[in-house]
Amino acid sequence: MLRWVVLLVVFVIMDLYAFQAFKTVAKNNWLRILYWLITVLVIGNFVFHYYGFNRRDGFSHAHAYAFGFLVVILIPKMILLLGMFAEDIFRVPQAIYRYFSAGHTAKGDYFASRRQFISKMALGLAAIPLASIIYGIYRGKYNYKVLKYTLHFEDLPEAFDGYKLTQISDIHSGSFDNMDKIKYAVDLINEQKSDVILFTGDIVNNKTEELVPYKNVFNKLKAKDGLYSVLGNHDYGDYANWESDEAKHQNLEDLKTLQKEIGFNLLLNESKYLEKNGERIALVGVENWGAGGFKTAGDLKQAAASIKKEDFKILMSHDPSHWEKKVIQDDYHYHLTLSGHTHGMQFGIEIPGWFKWSPVKWRYKYWAGIYEEFGQYINVNRGFGYLAFPGRVGIWPEITVIELKKGVSNA
């Protein structure tokens, strides 16, 4: 209860500051009433859905949009708060000086009037995230981007020179609310005509039933050398309440079966050779291995037990912290690792080839795109779907296409 009281006090303080900026341009009383009406409705809706909320009871679309609408008003108001507070750094000392210099009996307001320029500038800055977040909820979450990379390896088998793979990750089917957009994305994946499609975990939020409506969409995925997948932390059902351990176990077994029916070959701490013209590369898949409290079912040694150290290896591991903590130090030398998990936090700023930033970088060293360490590469996919916040702002849903080339990189 106390935390809700604290949150409401924070919101009130923030809104009082934000409203000071808003009323400088909104002279009409009806607009001012509308400001407070929207604020009360959004905060009330959030409290209604989250008071007493337990993540294990399920996270519905209503929960997602209650959180999303809160973010829509919260971030712009934080900017307004900073703008107004920055002005008060000068106004308060001036007011104190005027009070004491004029004497206790002086009449009038000791605070200088707020400058319209400051308020309007703060409103202009706040309008940028406001528009971006609204766009992110309305269209950004389905704004699929195909990102293409070419990676060179001296020891790549000749037969695989020019081999193309498509990686998708973090489908989170329980979050979707537009079937047509998913059909479009599946068509976009197939248009890449890659040799193999690799999915790196989190196909659901919690339960197999979330994927059932999309079975006949994802089973349209096609690749000459097949479809392969691994499990992510959400696929185990660890974040849901179950009536029994047996029910939880059955959910996971049902998920494995459903992935097979879609066409995925699920790799559970095991490996598979991809063969071409008498040569082969090893595809290794581990169960989820995550740092910081996430499930650590992945067993790299077990997964690689049937392959050779000198094989060219592609590793599928959901969480990039596995690559950082275990994989790049392993003496088997995994040429390319494919991960996901971070979603790029679904929020950030990217100028392709120039600049990339998201708050998630404070949690994960490797959080989006291609990285190289000790002659080994990892691609951290930004995710196909979305979770919790029902949108994406600046970090768009990703379909990765990687072409393998034999030779020395020009980079």
Side-chain angles (χ1 to χ4, degrees):
M1 182 64 183
L2 178 61
R3 67 176 181 176
W4 285 100
V5 172
V6 172
L7 283 173
L8 287 174
V9 170
V10 170
F11 285 142
V12 169
I13 294 172
M14 184 181 301
D15 263 309
L16 290 174
Y17 264 100
F19 184 68
Q20 291 180 48
F22 181 77
K23 70 181 183 180
T24 62
V25 296
K27 303 301 183 183
N28 187 298
N29 284 333
W30 287 108
L31 287 176
R32 297 180 179 185
I33 292 172
L34 182 62
Y35 172 95
W36 288 111
L37 181 62
I38 291 173
T39 297
V40 170
L41 287 175
V42 169
I43 294 177
N45 186 50
F46 179 80
V47 173
F48 174 78
H49 283 96
Y50 282 91
Y51 186 77
F53 171 74
N54 186 330
R55 179 181 180 183
R56 292 181 177 273
D57 292 331
F59 192 84
S60 67
H61 287 155
H63 286 101
Y65 279 100
F67 175 62
F69 292 146
L70 184 71
V71 173
V72 166
I73 68 168
L74 183 62
I75 294 181
K77 287 182 179 182
M78 288 175 63
I79 293 175
L80 293 177
L81 170 66
L82 292 174
M84 297 299 98
F85 184 75
E87 187 180 17
D88 279 350
I89 292 175
F90 299 97
R91 289 176 75 235
V92 171
Q94 288 174 357
I96 295 172
Y97 173 77
R98 286 173 182 167
Y99 176 79
F100 286 104
S101 62
H104 297 291
T105 59
K107 297 180 180 179
D109 186 359
Y110 296 102
F111 279 90
S113 299
R114 287 201 178 277
R115 289 176 289 176
Q116 282 200 1
F117 170 74
I118 298 295
S119 296
K120 289 179 178 179
M121 183 174 67
L123 284 166
L125 291 173
I128 297 173
L130 175 64
S132 299
I133 296 167
I134 292 174
Y135 175 84
I137 293 174
Y138 177 60
R139 298 195 64 177
K141 60 189 176 186
Y142 297 124
N143 185 23
Y144 295 100
K145 300 298 182 184
V146 178
L147 302 185
K148 298 184 177 183
Y149 304 98
T150 300
L151 299 180
H152 294 76
F153 302 91
E154 290 185 76
D155 55 348
L156 179 70
E158 289 280 358
F160 287 87
D161 186 20
Y163 194 79
K164 284 172 59 177
L165 60 90
T166 288
Q167 180 199 3
I168 54 175
S169 191
D170 298 88
I171 287 175
H172 288 287
S173 52
S175 298
F176 295 147
D177 56 12
N178 191 319
M179 181 71 75
D180 289 339
K181 294 295 186 181
I182 307 307
K183 291 178 180 177
Y184 162 76
V186 167
D187 288 341
L188 191 58
I189 293 169
N190 286 334
E191 286 175 12
Q192 307 313 310
K193 299 187 184 302
S194 289
D195 296 287
V196 67
I197 295 174
L198 306 176
F199 172 67
T200 47
D202 278 3
I203 203 166
V204 295
N205 294 342
N206 291 299
K207 297 183 177 181
T208 301
E209 63 191 40
E210 301 165 11
L211 181 60
V212 173
Y214 300 94
K215 171 185 173 181
N216 291 330
V217 178
F218 287 113
N219 68 8
K220 302 294 191 299
L221 289 170
K222 303 296 178 187
K224 179 171 59 68
D225 289 342
L227 286 63
Y228 294 87
S229 65
V230 293
L231 296 176
N233 55 298
H234 280 265
D235 295 322
Y236 297 90
D238 288 343
Y239 311 126
N241 279 326
W242 300 96
E243 59 269 24
S244 65
D245 290 340
E246 291 75 15
K248 180 181 178 182
H249 174 76
Q250 188 59 51
N251 177 74
L252 181 56
E253 294 305 308
D254 290 344
L255 184 64
K256 295 175 184 178
T257 299
L258 187 53
Q259 286 208 34
K260 183 177 181 180
E261 291 174 356
I262 288 173
F264 284 111
N265 297 287
L266 183 61
L267 299 178
L268 301 169
N269 290 329
E270 55 190 319
S271 60
K272 166 79 175 180
Y273 280 112
L274 301 176
E275 299 187 9
K276 187 175 181 182
N277 299 336
E279 295 184 297
R280 62 186 188 178
I281 61 176
L283 181 62
V284 182
V286 296
E287 295 196 48
N288 191 77
W289 192 102
F294 288 105
K295 194 175 191 75
T296 55
D299 188 329
L300 190 59
K301 296 300 182 186
Q302 177 184 333
S306 62
I307 66 173
K308 299 178 180 178
K309 184 176 181 179
E310 61 269 22
D311 287 329
F312 186 94
K313 294 172 285 295
I314 298 174
L315 172 66
M316 301 167 65
S317 181
H318 177 70
D319 192 320
S321 60
H322 188 211
W323 191 70
E324 178 186 1
K325 304 293 184 182
K326 296 289 184 179
V327 177
I328 55 178
Q329 289 89 17
D330 195 277
D331 61 0
Y332 253 42
H333 186 89
Y334 289 86
H335 299 74
L336 173 62
T337 298
L338 304 175
S339 297
H341 182 61
T342 72
H343 299 207
M345 202 176 167
Q346 297 169 211
F347 180 88
I349 301 171
E350 282 199 80
I351 303 173
W354 290 89
F355 182 77
K356 178 177 66 178
W357 178 88
S358 169
V360 79
K361 68 177 292 183
W362 298 323
R363 172 65 176 84
Y364 291 97
K365 181 178 181 180
Y366 309 102
W367 60 273
I370 296 283
Y371 302 88
E372 185 268 335
E373 296 282 356
F374 308 114
Q376 302 169 85
Y377 291 91
I378 185 173
N379 180 64
V380 184
N381 185 285
R382 293 159 180 81
F384 181 93
Y386 53 93
L387 180 68
F389 174 66
R392 283 178 173 266
V393 181
I395 304 293
W396 311 121
E398 176 180 344
I399 298 164
T400 312
V401 178
I402 298 176
E403 183 178 10
L404 307 179
K405 296 292 291 182
K406 186 173 180 63
V408 180
S409 172
N410 295 324

